[in-house]
Amino acid sequence: NAGVMQNPRHLVRRRGQEARLRCSPMKGHSHVYWYRQLPEEGLKFMVYLQKENIIDESGMPKERFSAEFPKEGPSILRIQQVVRGDSAAYFCASSNNSGTGIGNTIYFGEGSWLTVV
Amino acid sequence: GQNIDQPTEMTATEGAIVQINCTYQTSGFNGLFWYQQHAGEAPTFLSYNVLDGLEEKGRFSSFLSRSKGYSYLLLKELQMKDSASYLCAPRRNNYGQNFVFGPGTRLSVLP
C-alpha cells in the first residue's frame, strides 16, 4: 500500500557497516511491524512497535539488530556490523490498532532491499 | 506460539479453479488474513475471515473453520497475473507476535 513509506528502497553496505532502514506508517496508524524476507523464503516477523514502545521483539536477532518508533518521526530498523547473511528484503507494515476487525488489517510498504557486499 | 502450514507450491492452468489450504494452531485467535505477494513486491491484502464460512470477493473467496483451525483461499477463472505467492496469516488477540505469516504457497498459472 502506497501509504506506508519505506526508504531507502535499495541499500548496499560493506560488511561491518551499519544499515538504517526507515518506515513512515500510513496516516493515522500507530502500530508498526517489521518483517524480513530472504530470497525465495517467507516473511519472518521481527518486531512489533507502537509509538515509543516495543511490544514484541521476539523475532529480532539478539545481537546487532534494534528497532525504535519515536514519538516524532519514522520507525527505524538498525542493523550494526552487517554481514552477508543480512542481505534480504525488509518490509514494514502498519495498522491503526491491534483490536478486532478488518479495520486492523496491516498494510505493507514497498520494502527496503539490503545487499551486503 | 503459532504453527501455520501451507503447501509450498501449486500449479494450475489459466481459466481453472485452485484452492490453497492453510492449517493453523494458535491461541487467542482473532481472524485470519490472506495476502498476495508477487515476486519482488510487497504483500497486498486479499481477504479477512473472523467467523466460520465463506467470504466471496469477485474471483477470490476465502473460507474459515475455527474449530478445525483451517482456512482456504479459492481462486476462480485463473489468470496469468495470479501467479504469485499466497500468504496465510492467523491473527492473535494479544500483543505477542499478533501478525505472523505462514510460509506461503507459490502458485504458477500456466497457459
Side-chain angles (χ1 to χ4, degrees):
Chain A
N1 186 297
V4 180
M5 304 301 294
Q6 288 189 248
N7 72 82
R9 290 294 311 280
H10 297 276
L11 182 64
V12 179
R13 284 287 179 266
R14 296 187 185 279
R15 281 178 295 171
Q17 291 185 318
E18 178 179 288
R20 281 186 175 233
L21 309 178
R22 297 173 194 80
C23 171
S24 296
M26 283 181 70
K27 187 176 181 180
H29 285 190
S30 59
H31 296 238
V32 166
Y33 307 76
W34 284 95
Y35 295 85
R36 177 165 63 175
Q37 190 169 38
L38 296 170
E40 307 298 320
E41 294 191 11
L43 283 168
K44 298 296 185 187
F45 169 81
M46 299 183 75
V47 63
Y48 165 39
L49 312 103
Q50 293 179 18
K51 287 280 188 183
E52 300 184 281
N53 279 309
I54 296 175
I55 306 302
D56 182 354
E57 58 181 345
S58 58
M60 290 277 272
K62 294 285 187 285
E63 298 177 348
R64 302 187 298 108
F65 285 72
S66 62
E68 63 175 6
F69 189 17
K71 186 177 181 181
E72 300 291 339
S75 175
I76 307 284
L77 180 67
R78 182 184 179 201
I79 311 172
Q80 295 178 290
Q81 299 174 319
V82 296
V83 301
R84 290 239 170 94
D86 296 332
S87 295
Y90 292 84
F91 288 99
C92 170
S94 73
S95 69
N96 58 4
N97 67 62
S98 62
T100 60
I102 195 171
N104 301 300
T105 301
I106 68 170
Y107 295 94
F108 283 85
E110 294 298 308
S112 291
W113 269 257
L114 172 65
T115 302
V116 180
V117 297
Chain B
Q2 291 181 286
N3 190 11
I4 307 166
D5 194 32
Q6 300 179 237
T8 305
E9 293 187 9
M10 298 183 72
T11 302
T13 306
E14 198 173 10
I17 299 173
V18 70
Q19 178 175 313
I20 302 174
N21 296 323
C22 171
T23 58
Y24 63 90
Q25 293 175 319
T26 188
S27 57
F29 180 76
N30 185 19
L32 188 138
F33 293 79
W34 282 94
Y35 281 75
Q36 179 191 59
Q37 186 180 25
H38 286 98
E41 298 182 11
T44 55
F45 168 75
L46 283 180
S47 70
Y48 170 73
N49 295 67
V50 67
L51 300 176
D52 290 351
L54 189 68
E55 294 280 344
E56 297 188 76
K57 190 190 294 186
R59 293 190 299 115
F60 292 6
S61 303
S62 55
F63 171 84
L64 177 67
S65 169
R66 289 172 296 172
S67 61
K68 295 180 180 177
Y70 168 67
S71 174
Y72 67 72
L73 182 68
L74 192 71
L75 292 76
K76 304 175 189 174
E77 301 171 14
L78 282 173
Q79 302 175 9
M80 300 294 288
K81 67 179 182 179
D82 297 330
S83 293
S85 288
Y86 291 86
L87 312 174
C88 166
R91 190 162 192 180
R92 301 166 67 183
N93 64 3
N94 54 33
Y95 283 112
Q97 288 202 27
N98 69 359
F99 222 119
V100 175
F101 286 83
T105 298
R106 190 178 306 169
L107 174 66
S108 298
V109 179
L110 305 178

